[in-house]
Amino acid sequence: MIIISEEQIGEFKSFIDSHSSFLIVGHKEPDGDCVSSCIGMAAIVEHFGKEYQMLSAGPFKRPEIRNKAELFSDTMPFMTQFERDETGLIIVDCSELLRLGDIDGDFKGFDTFIVDHHKTADASWAKSIIDSSAPAACCLVQQLYEKLIGKPTPEVAKTLFFGLSTDTGYFRFLKEDSAEVFRAAARLVDAGANPRKIYDEMTSGKSFSTRKLLGVMLSRVERYYNNKLCVTYETMEDTKKYGLEGRDSDALYSLLLAVDGVEAVLFVRQETEHSCTAGFRSRDSVDVSAIAAKFGGGGHKNAAGLSMEGKIENVIPMILKEFAKVM
């Protein structure tokens, strides 16, 4: 993780100073890091006496973040042109307007600042702090908070530790170059974050249907390319039977990547009659963000996703062709 420079800190502070209010938004289908980064950013804005509104297209599918849904709106407040000129747009854990999803309102024309950590991030159109070596957007928000304000409050520390923990699989995905990340995590614990309670928040509260659906998806797994790639899928009928609360793709990825010889996992879900989402996970050698980018998606080297038109039976073969080039 790269330490944010004093120049970048100054640019961000100037952005805060130059607006009287802010819209703070993350990507659609938010995860713990996205939600926590928004809340952490709101704490920074609030410290400087600025008004803000947190926005999210949702849905808040993950049980560990459902209690945060009430903090967000999916509708931009009505603003006059003068009010729009006075309002800054802060996008966290994302760098593309399309990935913000269906929020009622037009984001075009706002003075914008992006804080993101995805390898495929493209923030050339706005002011930004981008660090693909950071394991979570919360790491960047933490640095901004500490540089501009100081030691986080206990509540902010808990929020940022939660975001860091969810995006790192409770630190399982970190490598030998992560000493700075652990130092940052230690500062959050010193400020009041409780690692044990936060782990319970992340892992508890799963519905029984998550285990039933997990069994269905495991039963469908097919292996490709000398058993290095595992592929499975979820149909609309599955969603209807087990409900949105039945989804637990994180557990699916973890179980399949633990199989001897497996280097990557592809999971495709039929979201509508004509569109699918796909999730990718991999070990060190396979860059799944590059594969996702071929279809308009993106993410990190070892974790990525996409949305595309089509049906499962057509989408999977298309993605397999790209995997064939790297496996």
Side-chain angles (χ1 to χ4, degrees), residues 213-288:
L213 180 56
L214 186 59
V216 171
M217 291 188 292
L218 288 172
S219 71
R220 291 178 179 152
V221 174
E222 298 287 344
R223 295 192 289 178
Y224 297 85
Y225 312 123
N226 294 321
N227 298 330
K228 294 179 181 179
L229 173 67
C230 284
V231 181
T232 190
Y233 60 90
E234 177 185 328
T235 67
M236 292 179 66
E237 289 73 23
D238 297 329
T239 305
K240 182 177 180 180
K241 182 175 182 179
Y242 297 104
L244 293 177
E245 67 277 5
R247 297 174 171 180
D248 189 6
S249 53
D250 290 339
L252 175 69
Y253 296 132
S254 180
L255 286 169
L256 293 178
L257 283 175
V259 175
D260 186 35
V262 171
E263 295 182 8
V265 175
L266 166 63
F267 169 48
V268 178
R269 177 185 287 135
Q270 191 78 51
E271 297 285 0
T272 71
E273 290 288 347
H274 304 290
S275 66
C276 291
T277 56
F280 306 77
R281 295 295 185 274
S282 71
R283 295 188 178 279
D284 291 344
S285 60
V286 181
D287 184 353
V288 290

Side-chain angles (χ1 to χ4, degrees), residues 253 278-281 288-290 292-293 297-306:
Y253 296 132
F280 306 77
R281 295 295 185 274
V288 290
S289 69
H300 309 285
K301 178 181 178 182
N302 302 122
L306 61 83

Side-chain angles (χ1 to χ4, degrees), residues 123-285:
S124 57
W125 57 279
K127 303 177 185 72
S128 66
I129 294 174
I130 306 291
D131 177 14
S132 61
S133 69
C138 273
C139 291
L140 305 177
V141 176
Q142 179 184 350
Q143 290 187 61
L144 290 170
Y145 190 102
E146 291 173 336
K147 290 283 189 178
L148 295 173
I149 301 172
K151 184 177 181 178
T153 66
E155 196 58 40
V156 170
K158 293 172 188 175
T159 297
L160 295 177
F161 192 95
F162 178 84
L164 170 61
S165 299
T166 54
D167 240 29
T168 61
Y170 208 75
F171 307 100
R172 289 179 295 121
F173 305 146
L174 296 179
K175 300 177 182 179
E176 67 278 1
D177 59 353
S178 302
E180 189 58 49
V181 179
F182 281 101
R183 280 190 282 269
R187 294 196 300 272
L188 294 176
V189 173
D190 182 61
N194 185 319
R196 181 173 180 176
K197 287 185 177 180
I198 290 170
Y199 181 78
D200 286 343
E201 285 182 42
M202 287 174 54
T203 58
S204 302
K206 308 290 187 185
S207 67
F208 182 66
S209 62
T210 64
R211 280 29 195 167
K212 296 287 286 183
L213 180 56
L214 186 59
V216 171
M217 291 188 292
L218 288 172
S219 71
R220 291 178 179 152
V221 174
E222 298 287 344
R223 295 192 289 178
Y224 297 85
Y225 312 123
N226 294 321
N227 298 330
K228 294 179 181 179
L229 173 67
C230 284
V231 181
T232 190
Y233 60 90
E234 177 185 328
T235 67
M236 292 179 66
E237 289 73 23
D238 297 329
T239 305
K240 182 177 180 180
K241 182 175 182 179
Y242 297 104
L244 293 177
E245 67 277 5
R247 297 174 171 180
D248 189 6
S249 53
D250 290 339
L252 175 69
Y253 296 132
S254 180
L255 286 169
L256 293 178
L257 283 175
V259 175
D260 186 35
V262 171
E263 295 182 8
V265 175
L266 166 63
F267 169 48
V268 178
R269 177 185 287 135
Q270 191 78 51
E271 297 285 0
T272 71
E273 290 288 347
H274 304 290
S275 66
C276 291
T277 56
F280 306 77
R281 295 295 185 274
S282 71
R283 295 188 178 279
D284 291 344
S285 60

Side-chain angles (χ1 to χ4, degrees), residues 33-163:
D33 183 34
C34 179
V35 168
S36 298
S37 296
C38 287
I39 296 172
M41 189 62 74
I44 295 175
V45 168
E46 187 173 37
H47 174 83
F48 290 105
K50 310 285 186 171
E51 297 182 355
Y52 67 89
Q53 171 69 63
M54 291 193 295
L55 300 171
S56 177
F60 288 73
K61 298 176 183 177
R62 300 168 182 264
E64 66 269 22
I65 62 168
R66 284 185 190 142
N67 64 342
K68 300 297 190 296
E70 62 186 21
L71 301 176
F72 294 80
S73 173
D74 62 1
T75 303
M76 186 186 300
F78 172 79
M79 287 181 279
T80 65
Q81 186 58 53
F82 174 78
E83 289 171 328
R84 288 177 69 91
D85 292 341
E86 290 292 305
T87 300
L89 174 63
I90 301 177
I91 301 176
V92 297
D93 202 30
C94 177
S95 62
E96 304 88 17
L97 290 178
L98 286 176
R99 284 215 66 213
L100 302 182
D102 295 326
I103 295 176
D104 187 8
D106 184 5
F107 287 116
K108 295 178 181 177
F110 282 105
D111 190 19
T112 304
F113 203 106
I114 295 170
V115 178
D116 193 14
H117 71 123
H118 291 95
K119 182 179 178 181
T120 53
D122 177 13
S124 57
W125 57 279
K127 303 177 185 72
S128 66
I129 294 174
I130 306 291
D131 177 14
S132 61
S133 69
C138 273
C139 291
L140 305 177
V141 176
Q142 179 184 350
Q143 290 187 61
L144 290 170
Y145 190 102
E146 291 173 336
K147 290 283 189 178
L148 295 173
I149 301 172
K151 184 177 181 178
T153 66
E155 196 58 40
V156 170
K158 293 172 188 175
T159 297
L160 295 177
F161 192 95
F162 178 84

